[in-house]
Amino acid sequence: MATVGSKSRYEESLQGNRIEGFRQRLSGTIVRPGNPEYDAARSIWNGMIDRRPAIIAYCANVNDVTQSIAFARETGILTSVRSGGHNIAGSSLCDGGLVIDLSRMNKVTVDPENRIARAEGGALLADLDAASQAHGLATTTGVNSDTGLIALTLGGGIGRLGRKHGLSCDNMLSAEIITADGQVLTASEQENAELFWGLRGGGGNFGIVTAITYQLHPLGPTVLAGSLIYDWKRVRDALRLHAEFSAAAPDELCTDAALVTLPDGGHGFAISAFYAGAMDEGERVLRPLRDALPTVEDRIGPISYVQLQRAGDASFPRGYRFYWKAQFLREITPAVAKALIDRFPSVPSSKSFFVFQQVGGAIAKVPPTATAYVNRRAAYDSFPVSIWTEPAADQANIFWAREMYAALRPFAMDGVYVNNLGDEGDDRVKAAYGENYTRLAALKRKYDPDNLFRLNQNIRPAV
Ligand SMILES: Cc1cc2nc3c(=O)[nH]c(=O)nc-3n(C[C@H](O)[C@H](O)[C@H](O)COP(=O)(O)OP(=O)(O)OC[C@H]3O[C@@H](n4cnc5c(N)ncnc54)[C@H](O)[C@@H]3O)c2cc1C
């Protein structure tokens, strides 16, 4: 830790011909300040993040990743890793340093007979969904199709199939990783088992993952899913309905929900249901929910799984300004509902919402220490999502999200989902790992003692 990232080594590294030498060792390309594509190359999903890296290395293959890590190690340059560029904190981008970009390594191959997919380090959720659905297969991923698949998996991976098949990381069969010292390792139950434990929730702390193989499951291609929309005058009843219905749901059913602003400018409540099973069984399970209260709209029906996985994309436009703060809940009590109903209407942007992402089911059947992902007992990940466009409105939108978060804090669990953490500091990273933190810190010391990979939700190497 004493020398990696030190200013003098870093400045020295950028002065000589080292960058040219680095460029020549890559099959991929390098973008630097002054190149015409520089501004596009340094832009990421969250428009709040405005950083100016010294080098963006677009890796074309595993050797490029190894060369990039070697360059980072030799020069001490501050280094970040980017796949989908979706992290809310913008941890994939660094000021004045090296960005190792994997977005061109996005191939997904499927072995339909064994129901296994292999995704490269820069694949997006959409890449896995498309390739696996071509064979009527799927595994758990998230709700926004252009999110990076590998980083989502390394932090856990919450999605609509999670209650039936577990987190994305629970479906990880093996990972190929390049560690800080340049070793290319395979991690699985059979090989480097402790590293495999840490990769299932421990984030990007142990190296750069260039491929993951996943267990797939039969699904679709058409599934039963969609939203029920309630107007604000029914919000209390609708929240109670969702709380009761989701708490009693079978593992095949996932019901996310959100307080939203409706197209007419009024506020409302939306329940998004997804049934991972036979269509007629889903109709039967969902009937009591659909009949319970008058809706403004009932949009539940058959839909292709790939289309469903893209349906949320429009809610998160690339380049808009985003801020959120997440926490887990065990249940949605009347006190939680009241806190939300009292505060939601002050939302400054009609694009913003407050969401409950349902977990539990198969996720909760795995013991909390069986993988690095510890928050197995939660029933919902809950968070205000502030979305706006004007920098002048930053303060109001951030303030609203913080207020919503604070209002629920007394009812929330201690843990937090590491993939939804912003720049919230070491204590929240420790809270994300709870009783697994010490074991992760020991693993970090083994694979990255100098903390080369520190622009992430950082686990400090044990001393
Ligand atoms: C709109 C939106 C919706 C989301 N929905 C969900 C959801 O439904 N479920 C869910 O679980 N999460 C969800 N997330 C959170 C998401 O899982 C994290 O933001 C994740 O970090 C995104 O990965 P990325 O590759 O796009 O991000 P990046 O910003 O590119 O990477 C984030 C960090 O991951 C690490 N990293 C990236 N690639 C690698 C790699 N190949 N090897 C090692 N480390 C790597 C680096 O530390 C990097 O800083 C959502 C995020 C957004 C913005």
Side-chain angles (χ1 to χ4, degrees):
M1 191 60 217
T3 52
V4 171
S6 81
K7 207 172 171 204
S8 56
R9 283 181 62 199
Y10 161 62
E11 281 173 350
E12 189 187 297
S13 74
L14 294 185
Q15 278 162 10
N17 289 330
R18 296 188 90 153
I19 296 176
E20 197 39 48
F22 175 40
R23 186 198 303 273
Q24 283 170 10
R25 300 207 303 267
L26 296 182
S27 305
T29 52
I30 275 179
V31 175
R32 298 209 58 211
N35 294 151
E37 59 273 56
Y38 180 68
D39 279 333
R42 73 182 183 89
S43 82
I44 54 173
W45 163 80
N46 188 353
M48 293 278 282
I49 312 296
D50 179 17
R51 295 190 190 130
R52 305 185 68 83
I55 311 169
I56 301 172
Y58 285 96
C59 297
N61 52 39
V62 169
N63 183 54
D64 282 2
V65 179
T66 309
Q67 294 296 341
S68 301
I69 293 176
F71 179 78
R73 204 178 49 239
E74 287 156 15
T75 60
I77 190 170
L78 185 67
T79 299
S80 64
V81 181
R82 180 170 70 181
S83 289
H86 259 224
N87 190 263
I88 185 76
S91 56
S92 65
L93 216 55
C94 54
D95 264 327
L98 166 68
V99 175
I100 303 178
D101 182 289
L102 279 86
S103 59
R104 294 183 186 165
M105 296 170 61
N106 59 357
K107 205 162 130 198
V108 178
T109 47
V110 174
D111 168 357
E113 258 172 49
N114 294 305
R115 295 180 179 162
I116 290 173
R118 180 182 188 277
E120 288 185 340
L124 303 180
L125 309 193
D127 299 320
L128 180 70
D129 288 339
S132 47
Q133 274 292 278
H135 303 280
L137 298 168
T139 199
T140 309
T141 65
V143 299
N144 180 223
S145 77
D146 53 3
T147 305
L149 173 68
I150 301 305
L152 175 132
T153 305
L154 294 175
I158 296 174
R160 39 177 71 94
L161 278 172
R163 289 173 48 75
K164 174 126 193 241
H165 296 301
L167 299 165
S168 310
C169 74
D170 297 333
N171 289 283
M172 188 198 294
L173 298 173
S174 68
E176 178 186 273
I177 180 170
I178 308 178
T179 52
D181 59 2
Q183 285 188 79
V184 183
L185 299 176
T186 299
S188 67
E189 291 287 6
Q190 293 76 34
E191 248 179 296
N192 298 304
E194 183 68 2
L195 179 59
F196 185 56
W197 174 86
L199 290 175
R200 286 173 291 163
N205 273 287
F206 308 110
I208 300 185
V209 172
T210 48
I212 289 181
T213 55
Y214 292 90
Q215 183 67 62
L216 303 176
H217 313 272
L219 184 83
T222 304
V223 295
L224 184 66
S227 305
L228 300 169
I229 316 283
Y230 305 89
D231 68 20
W232 194 249
K233 66 176 186 284
R234 293 193 204 282
V235 67
R236 197 172 302 275
D237 290 342
L239 260 160
R240 189 175 57 234
L241 172 66
H242 170 253
E244 289 171 2
F245 195 81
S246 59
D251 291 356
E252 284 73 19
L253 185 63
C254 181
T255 53
D256 295 342
L259 293 116
V260 295
T261 300
L262 298 174
D264 67 2
H267 298 132
F269 185 65
I271 300 177
S272 298
F274 164 73
Y275 191 78
M279 199 76 68
D280 53 350
E281 185 61 15
E283 291 280 7
R284 191 188 63 72
V285 169
L286 282 171
R287 184 48 56 198
L289 178 70
R290 299 171 79 176
D291 289 346
L293 282 177
T295 56
V296 177
E297 235 180 295
D298 178 340
R299 293 190 212 143
I300 292 177
I303 180 171
S304 102
Y305 180 69
V306 168
Q307 200 186 333
L308 174 68
Q309 284 287 90
R310 291 193 191 130
D313 292 0
S315 301
F316 302 99
R318 186 184 164 87
Y320 278 38
R321 304 174 86 77
F322 293 89
Y323 183 86
W324 66 51
K325 243 172 123 68
Q327 54 198 335
F328 285 115
L329 297 174
R330 265 185 222 280
E331 54 179 335
I332 303 170
T333 60
V336 167
K338 181 174 182 324
L340 290 175
I341 294 165
D342 287 350
R343 283 171 185 78
F344 183 80
S346 64
V347 61
S349 165
S350 62
K351 299 174 181 68
S352 301
F353 49 89
F354 184 97
V355 68
F356 295 104
Q357 202 166 8
Q358 194 183 5
V359 281
I363 298 168
K365 288 173 188 146
V366 176
T369 55
T371 67
Y373 183 94
V374 77
N375 298 292
R376 302 275 179 183
R377 306 273 184 256
Y380 309 92
D381 194 16
S382 74
F383 46 115
V385 180
S386 270
I387 308 176
W388 70 105
T389 52
E390 295 304 317
D394 284 0
Q395 210 185 339
N397 285 281
I398 292 170
F399 179 78
W400 175 79
R402 287 185 174 155
E403 286 281 289
M404 293 293 285
Y405 171 87
L408 256 57
R409 196 75 204 110
F411 313 107
M413 300 169 74
D414 288 340
V416 55
Y417 180 33
V418 75
N419 275 347
N420 278 335
L421 264 181
D423 196 3
E424 293 167 43
D426 283 355
D427 285 351
R428 291 301 277 162
V429 178
K430 284 187 178 146
Y433 291 115
E435 59 191 300
N436 287 341
Y437 189 85
T438 309
R439 188 170 164 189
L440 284 163
L443 202 58
K444 177 76 172 175
R445 183 178 54 195
K446 178 168 181 192
Y447 289 103
D448 186 16
D450 293 329
N451 210 359
L452 177 71
F453 301 108
R454 63 182 177 281
L455 296 182
N456 45 36
Q457 299 300 341
N458 196 228
I459 296 164
R460 314 261 171 204
V463 282

